[in-house]
């Protein structure tokens, strides 16, 4: 529309004046609020005014207000250069923990098997190490005339009684090297380990004592007097009782591992040599070399409950606590008697090498290892078939067997 110009003295237009608000965008921009007749008359030609109510822009020519129309929108300009990247902001707070993943498959219920066999060789003064493939994988030099041997599977340490050196060699099973030598009594014959307490017990045959070694420090912490000419020991780790065969006294000494004192002496057969323990049944088995039978002791009462006839000159004994089978080497018969621990009867007799002595059982594989003194070999018996499945050549005059299952 066209609006005639007026001034505040012109009464003819004030009655019909438009009360729109305007903005003065002239040379001296200012905002005027109020009706037209309250706005000072424009003195400068070319001033622009905006009708806010109607959104129309007018030009004051000095005589009339001329409405201005917007031209068509021009083409958009080209995009400017991208600005510089700003600084990285601070790290936001950690999000909530996600849901738990699905459970993985169950692991094997079977214990991990090391399956290494250690054999003392009396004349060559070393220890042969046999693996699961019935192969000698290492030979470890030890003291003079090694006889008894036992293993602590928890610490992977092997203990060897050196009969003519009056000491015990400690072998690291990981490196097959001797890491310590512990002095003990005179003429140590047998050795056994309690893996629960990490105590090692050594039968000193000439001293008629048992040396107690702390496996953590490799030092003797106690000496216990037992019967005459102790030969072989074994331990029940559940009851912490140590059983010692006294070869000349014809009895077995029972040591309390907590106090290192003899709490019982049990008469057995003539010239007891090897001894085995079943911790699960608390049964103790003693090979009487000149009686040709095995005395079975009840560990709860410390009494002999029965005897089982075996071969000629029984020497070594070991037990598979899982199957409750007892294995006895018969030196003069060159075989092994298999006793059923449930019935205390002989189930089988297995021919082996010449002059079998020490014996060891791997309860995980159900294999039995026999040291043949005159054959310089070890016979491997399957506990399933009661037959020899392998023969392994070792050092000179093998005597003792230790098993890390």
């Amino acid at each position: 529309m066209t609006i005639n110009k007026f001034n505040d003295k012109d009464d003819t237009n004030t009655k019909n004046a438009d009360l729109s608000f305007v903005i003065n965008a002239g040379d001296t921009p200012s905002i005027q609020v109020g009706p037209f007749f309250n706005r000072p008359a424009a003195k400068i030609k070319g001033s622009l005014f905006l009708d806010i109510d109607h959104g129309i822009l007018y030009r004051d020519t000095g005589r009339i207000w001329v409405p201005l129309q917007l031209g068509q929108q021009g083409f958009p300009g080209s995009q400017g250069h991208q600005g510089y990247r700003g600084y990285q902001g601070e790290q936001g707070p950690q999000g909530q923990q996600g849901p738990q993943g699905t459970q993985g498959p169950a692991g094997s219920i079977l214990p991990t098997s090391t399956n290494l066999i250690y054999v003392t060789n009396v004349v060559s003064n070393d220890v042969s190490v046999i693996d699961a493939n019935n192969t000698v994988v290492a030979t470890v030099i030890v003291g003079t005339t090694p006889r008894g041997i036992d293993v602590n599977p928890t610490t992977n340490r092997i203990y060897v009684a050196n009969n003519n050196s009056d000491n015990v060699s400690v072998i690291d099973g990981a490196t097959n090297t001797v890491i310590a030598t512990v002095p003990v009594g005179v003429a140590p014959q047998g050795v056994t380990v309690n893996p629960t307490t990490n105590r090692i017990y050594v039968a000193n045959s000439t001293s008629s004592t048992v040396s107690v070694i702390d496996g953590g420090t490799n030092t003797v912490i106690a000496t216990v007097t037992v019967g005459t000419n102790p030969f072989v020991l074994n331990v029940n780790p559940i009851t912490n009782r140590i059983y010692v065969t006294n070869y000349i006294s014809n009895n077995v000494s029972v040591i309390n591992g907590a106090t290192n004192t003899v709490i019982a002496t049990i008469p057995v057969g003539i010239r007891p040599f090897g001894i085995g323990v079943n911790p699960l049944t608390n049964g103790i088995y003693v090979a009487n070399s000149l009686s040709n039978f095995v005395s079975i002791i009840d560990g709860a009462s410390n009494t002999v409950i029965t005897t089982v006839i075996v071969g000629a000159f029984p020497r070594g004994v070991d037990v598979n606590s899982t199957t409750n089978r007892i294995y006895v080497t018969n030196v003069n018969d060159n075989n092994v008697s298999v006793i059923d621990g449930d019935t205390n009867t002989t189930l089988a007799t297995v021919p082996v090498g010449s002059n079998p002595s020490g014996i060891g059982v791997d309860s995980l594989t159900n294999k039995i290892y026999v040291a043949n003194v005159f054959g310089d070999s070890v016979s491997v018996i399957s506990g399933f078939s009661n037959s020899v499945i392998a023969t392994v050549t070792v050092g000179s005059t093998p005597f003792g067997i230790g098993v890390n299952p």
Side-chain angles (χ1 to χ4, degrees):
M1 70 178 180
T2 302
I3 302 177
N4 291 329
K5 184 177 181 297
F6 65 91
N7 57 46
D8 55 356
K9 295 181 180 180
D10 188 354
D11 295 335
T12 59
N13 292 331
T14 57
K15 293 182 181 180
N16 297 320
D18 190 347
L19 301 181
S20 299
F21 296 119
V22 298
I23 180 171
N24 184 352
D27 293 339
T28 56
S30 64
I31 297 176
Q32 303 295 329
V33 179
F36 284 172
F37 54 79
N38 288 331
R39 181 184 63 79
K43 300 298 183 181
I44 303 174
K45 293 183 179 182
S47 298
L48 299 178
F49 302 96
L50 176 64
D51 180 352
I52 296 176
D53 288 344
H54 301 93
I56 300 174
L57 184 67
Y58 294 91
R59 180 173 178 269
D60 185 354
T61 66
R63 185 178 61 85
I64 63 173
W65 291 354
V66 179
L68 300 178
Q69 295 180 350
L70 297 174
Q72 294 182 349
Q73 180 175 352
F75 295 104
S78 60
Q79 182 175 346
H81 296 290
Q82 180 174 342
Y84 293 107
R85 181 175 180 178
Y87 295 106
Q88 180 173 342
E90 296 181 357
Q91 181 174 346
Q94 182 174 343
Q96 295 180 347
Q97 182 175 346
Q100 181 175 344
T102 56
Q103 182 174 348
S108 173
I109 62 174
L110 298 175
T112 302
S113 177
T114 301
N115 197 207
L116 290 175
I117 315 304
Y118 300 88
V119 186
T120 56
N121 302 301
V122 173
V123 174
S124 53
N125 297 323
D126 54 29
V127 171
S128 298
V129 184
I130 302 173
D131 69 2
N133 297 318
N134 297 321
T135 302
V136 174
V137 294
T139 301
V140 185
I141 302 298
V142 289
T144 307
T145 320
R147 290 188 180 272
I149 187 168
D150 203 8
V151 180
N152 186 336
T154 304
T155 62
N156 197 18
R157 296 289 185 264
I158 301 92
Y159 299 89
V160 182
N162 302 304
N163 189 257
N164 288 347
S165 297
D166 298 336
N167 57 28
V168 170
S169 297
V170 183
I171 300 173
D172 180 357
T175 61
N176 288 323
T177 57
V178 174
I179 59 173
T181 301
V182 185
V184 289
V186 180
Q189 178 80 21
V191 61
T192 191
V193 176
N194 186 339
T196 303
T197 62
N198 197 18
R199 295 287 185 267
I200 300 90
Y201 301 88
V202 184
N204 304 301
S205 58
T206 300
S207 301
S208 296
T209 59
V210 170
S211 298
V212 183
I213 300 173
D214 179 354
T217 60
N218 290 323
T219 56
V220 173
I221 59 174
T223 301
V224 184
T225 300
V226 290
T228 305
N229 208 202
F231 264 22
V232 181
L233 317 86
N234 216 316
V235 63
N236 186 334
I238 296 176
T239 62
N240 198 15
R241 297 291 185 265
I242 300 90
Y243 300 89
V244 187
T245 58
N246 300 304
Y247 192 73
I248 301 300
S249 299
N250 298 324
N251 55 27
V252 171
S253 297
V254 183
I255 299 173
N256 182 342
T259 61
N260 291 322
T261 56
V262 174
I263 58 174
T265 302
I266 307 168
V268 288
I270 301 174
R271 300 296 182 264
F273 199 101
I275 188 167
V277 175
N278 187 338
L280 301 183
T281 63
N282 202 14
I284 298 91
Y285 302 86
V286 182
N288 302 289
S289 57
L290 293 186
S291 298
N292 296 335
F293 62 71
V294 171
S295 299
I296 302 178
I297 299 172
D298 173 20
S301 62
N302 289 324
T303 57
V304 174
I305 56 175
T306 191
T307 58
V308 180
I309 299 297
V310 287
F313 206 88
R315 177 177 287 173
V317 182
D318 204 6
V319 179
N320 187 334
S321 57
T322 303
T323 61
N324 199 18
R325 296 291 185 267
I326 301 89
Y327 299 88
V328 184
T329 58
N330 301 303
V331 174
N332 291 346
D333 288 341
N334 297 326
N335 59 26
V336 171
S337 296
V338 183
I339 299 174
D340 182 349
D342 294 326
T343 62
N344 293 324
T345 56
T346 300
L347 293 176
T349 302
V350 184
V352 289
S354 177
N355 201 263
S357 182
I359 188 167
V361 175
D362 187 334
S363 58
L364 294 184
T365 62
N366 197 18
K367 292 179 181 178
I368 302 90
Y369 299 84
V370 181
N372 302 304
V373 174
F374 294 156
D376 293 341
S377 66
V378 170
S379 298
V380 184
I381 299 173
S382 166
F384 299 104
S385 63
N386 287 324
S387 60
V388 173
I389 58 174
T391 301
V392 184
T393 300
V394 289
S396 178
T397 318
F399 188 83
I401 298 280
V403 177
N404 190 346

